[in-house]
Amino acid sequence: MSPDRDNWCQAPDVAPLRVRWLGRVPYREALAVQQSLFEHGAGQHLLLLEHPHVFTYGRTADLANNLTCEPAAVGAELVAAKRGGDITYHGPGQLVGYPILNVENSLGASGHVCGVEGLVIDALAELGLDNAGRVPGFAGVWLDAGTDRERKICAIGVRLRRGRTMHGFALNVATDMTYMREHIVPCGIGDKPVTSLAEEGLDVTLEQVADIVARLAADRWANGALERQDVAWAHATDGRDLSAFSRGEGPGEQVKLVSSRATARMEAAGVTDGLSIETRKPDWLRPKVEIGPEVLELKKTIRSLDLVTVCEDAGCPNLSDCWSDGTATFMVLGERCTRACGFCLVDTSKPLAPAADEPARVAEAIDRMGLDHAVLTMVARDDLADGGMAHVAACVEAIRLRRPQARIETLISDAKGDDAALDLLFAARPDVMNHNVETVARLQRAVRPSAGYARSLGVLARAKAAGLTTKTGFMAGLGESDDEIVGLLADLADLGVDIVTIGQYLRPTSHHLPIARYAEPAEFDRWKRVGEGFGIGHVEASPLTRSSYHAKSAADAVTPVRVT
């Protein structure tokens, strides 16, 4: 075996390598996910993706000389990265890989770089490029090294701290090389050209290259133990499977979920069968409904203040259980959502402007009810510049003023991944910050086409970085496999998520996604054990569990009592 084909990072008896194809992900979102896996995780991960146009630079970058354009003028971002190296480019047609690994400190950053180079060199050899190798003194992978024709095909930059790594490689597959030849001096190396697989005459897709890289990475870093999940590789590029708001069309008439589109997305994700809506529910999915005086009194309070609860609007099966305990989840920003997820009963017609007095009314209701744990959720408000985050923050602040002893949990939309919008809420410091991932990676586009797996992980990662207690939830019964659920729990644990809820998907109407199967109660018990075994602080799992079910006791398990 040649020096270019060594296994620098391989170690015996290591955990599976969890490979995720995440699709096209903005750099900042991927960085947040990387950082959280790096800081909080212990598992072995390889994130594979492509970025929209972006220039990134390391600590020693010479931007004055090596950035030769105005990034915004060429449709690119400029982002600082905590890594070595100068400026580089990421964009469509480039396979980016971020290995978040445990390595021996004795290996050193240079040894890990050598291992990543070896992975790419092996992959290129399998693709038919036997002329890939290293150039002494320069990180990355080169073709025809040591000759007057040497050219760079893959950039590499890593960070190693306390035996854990992040950042990785960017392999040019079918990249627009204009960005590297005319807009920057790639990696600060002005006298050496760059190239791509396409320019070398290889007609291969990102998916084909990712398949090879994933397999070889598992061989190199996990003794062949590969656990892989992919988001959708292809979907409608014109956005016709999205809601009007997600297509950028702005307010309009009521958005209807079109069954044929939803069915097509599910079929593309490999789910072709489902239970008829007439199928009788198992006994364990038949909640006891007892409308006692506590429920009636709570309903009276909510109506008198003209408030909305997700308990009613989303048809929660636990309404009487929670309301009889004096607990409710308030839905702010109205009752009309700007998205059209395939599982949700909430109305999707044109929303109204946020009510300025809603924070005060919510705070009064919570004070009247004497709640010690208040839950706020929201509809998606893609029509608002900040996604509604300032309004949710105002509700948090109003509750704190009216009932300072109450612990506050917020269940939010993704705000389209906007850092500034999310920071508006994070600054209000909710005691629990909840954002649901909803389903496994493979089914994201089919189940909630206006959202995404990487974006949801990014929201949770940024909340964790802000020092908040983080919570998420997902549904079983949409067509996912047990292995996918276990892999999802591993991702959430290594991201540092504190609380996870798992419940059975129940089809609201015949216009919504069908139920693939009913999961047995024993399966939920096992998923709870698996998740907590991975290190998640508390997993609430049962057929009837919903995001806010037993929210107080779940928070009690992972957060300290608030001192006011």
Side-chain angles (χ1 to χ4, degrees):
M1 183 174 287
S2 73
D4 284 343
R5 306 282 168 81
D6 49 17
N7 286 333
W8 283 84
C9 299
Q10 191 167 354
D13 302 322
V14 294
L17 182 66
R18 302 191 186 278
V19 178
R20 302 289 181 264
W21 166 253
L22 297 177
R24 188 171 298 179
V25 183
Y27 184 83
R28 295 174 192 274
E29 291 182 15
L31 182 60
V33 175
Q34 271 197 86
Q35 188 73 42
S36 207
L37 292 172
F38 175 75
E39 295 286 350
H40 303 289
Q44 307 278 87
H45 297 264
L46 173 59
L47 308 181
L48 296 176
L49 48 99
E50 61 177 347
H51 290 303
H53 300 298
V54 62
F55 300 117
T56 71
Y57 59 97
R59 293 181 295 273
T60 58
D62 181 3
L63 294 183
N65 293 310
N66 295 332
L67 177 62
T68 59
C69 72
E70 173 57 45
V74 296
E77 281 192 287
L78 178 65
V79 182
K82 293 181 179 179
R83 57 160 173 80
D86 209 290
I87 189 166
T88 191
Y89 163 78
H90 301 306
Q94 183 186 74
L95 180 65
V96 177
Y98 295 126
I100 299 95
L101 306 171
N102 301 313
V103 302
E104 294 294 335
N105 274 324
S106 59
L107 178 68
S110 61
H112 177 54
V113 166
C114 208
V116 177
E117 290 170 342
L119 168 66
V120 176
I121 290 167
D122 286 349
L124 292 178
E126 191 164 321
L127 287 164
L129 287 180
D130 291 320
N131 57 337
R134 300 182 176 93
V135 173
F138 296 97
V141 176
W142 304 74
L143 302 183
D144 294 326
T147 75
D148 59 3
R149 295 187 63 248
E150 69 183 13
R151 54 215 182 273
K152 191 173 188 178
I153 196 167
C154 179
I156 292 175
V158 302
R159 182 184 181 195
L160 172 64
R161 182 167 63 89
R162 294 200 299 269
R164 195 147 172 90
T165 72
M166 63 180 290
H167 298 299
F169 65 86
L171 175 61
N172 300 325
V173 179
T175 317
D176 181 352
M177 303 304 291
T178 302
Y179 283 83
M180 281 183 269
R181 290 181 178 140
E182 298 182 9
H183 302 321
I184 64 170
V185 178
C187 302
I189 307 170
D191 59 345
K192 296 182 184 294
V194 289
T195 188
S196 68
L197 291 176
E199 290 192 347
E200 296 299 318
L202 271 69
D203 183 15
V204 292
T205 65
L206 279 178
E207 185 172 5
Q208 289 170 320
V209 181
D211 288 346
I212 293 171
V213 168
R215 174 171 46 79
L216 294 178
D219 290 342
R220 176 175 290 267
W221 292 318
N223 288 339
L226 171 62
E227 188 270 306
R228 179 173 170 181
Q229 296 190 39
D230 294 5
V231 302
W233 277 90
H235 52 77
T237 57
D238 62 1
R240 65 179 181 273
D241 58 346
L242 301 181
S243 71
F245 280 98
S246 297
R247 290 197 301 266
E249 295 177 5
E253 297 307 313
Q254 180 159 345
V255 179
K256 293 290 188 182
L257 181 66
V258 180
S259 297
S260 61
R261 294 176 185 171
T263 300
R265 292 196 299 263
M266 292 299 280
E267 289 177 350
V271 182
T272 57
D273 296 317
L275 302 177
S276 166
I277 197 166
E278 289 83 18
T279 301
R280 180 180 172 83
K281 294 177 183 176
D283 290 341
W284 65 78
L285 277 170
R286 298 180 178 279
K288 291 182 178 180
V289 179
E290 297 179 1
I291 307 298
E294 302 92 342
V295 172
L296 296 175
E297 184 60 31
L298 182 51
K299 186 183 289 285
K300 180 180 177 182
T301 297
I302 291 166
R303 294 293 176 271
S304 69
L305 293 170
D306 193 26
L307 296 172
V308 177
T309 69
V310 74
C311 319
E312 296 171 291
D313 267 44
C316 180
N318 303 310
L319 185 149
S320 65
D321 184 13
C322 294
W323 283 25
S324 63
D325 192 38
T327 302
T329 299
F330 295 91
M331 187 161 69
V332 301
L333 287 161
E335 54 190 318
R336 300 174 180 178
C337 187
T338 57
R339 300 187 183 179
C341 296
F343 60 87
C344 186
L345 186 59
V346 174
D347 184 20
T348 54
S349 57
K350 177 181 175 180
L352 303 174
D357 66 339
E358 185 173 56
R361 286 185 284 113
V362 169
E364 182 178 348
I366 288 168
D367 189 37
R368 280 194 205 176
M369 293 163 60
L371 296 183
D372 294 322
H373 185 97
V375 183
L376 303 177
T377 189
M378 61 177 290
V379 290
R381 290 299 301 261
D382 294 334
D383 59 314
L384 302 176
D386 67 354
M389 294 301 132
H391 187 87
V392 180
C395 291
V396 172
E397 292 162 356
I399 295 166
R400 290 253 165 83
L401 287 172
R402 185 69 180 256
R403 189 170 177 80
Q405 70 268 40
R407 184 168 51 196
I408 305 170
E409 177 174 327
T410 56
L411 172 56
I412 64 168
S413 178
D414 59 25
K416 293 187 175 179
D418 183 76
D419 283 327
L422 293 168
D423 285 344
L424 293 172
L425 176 60
F426 296 169
R429 312 298 299 170
D431 298 282
V432 179
M433 210 300 297
N434 188 352
H435 169 71
N436 284 338
V437 71
E438 303 294 6
T439 188
V440 300
R442 175 174 56 89
L443 299 179
Q444 290 285 317
R445 184 72 183 183
V447 171
R448 50 178 201 153
S450 302
Y453 191 66
R455 175 155 293 170
S456 287
L457 295 187
V459 170
L460 294 166
R462 279 174 278 192
K464 190 70 178 179
L468 301 175
T469 296
T470 52
K471 178 177 177 179
T472 192
F474 61 91
M475 299 168 285
L478 281 162
E480 71 291 326
S481 70
D482 181 76
D483 286 345
E484 286 176 315
I485 287 180
V486 172
L488 170 53
L489 289 168
D491 289 353
L492 297 175
D494 277 348
L495 206 68
V497 172
D498 299 291
I499 303 169
V500 173
T501 59
I502 313 172
Q504 170 70 48
Y505 167 59
L506 297 177
R507 188 180 192 181
T509 75
S510 60
H511 294 290
H512 291 79
L513 296 173
I515 300 168
R517 74 181 188 100
Y518 291 120
E520 300 274 347
E523 294 179 85
F524 290 93
D525 293 340
R526 189 177 68 82
W527 292 328
K528 175 180 173 64
R529 293 193 301 271
V530 168
E532 293 179 352
F534 281 145
I536 298 169
H538 180 81
V539 177
E540 187 75 27
S542 72
L544 290 176
T545 290
R546 295 297 179 265
S547 298
S548 303
Y549 190 53
H550 292 167
K552 182 178 183 299
S553 60
D556 287 343
V558 300
T559 62
V561 176
R562 292 190 69 246
V563 177
T564 58

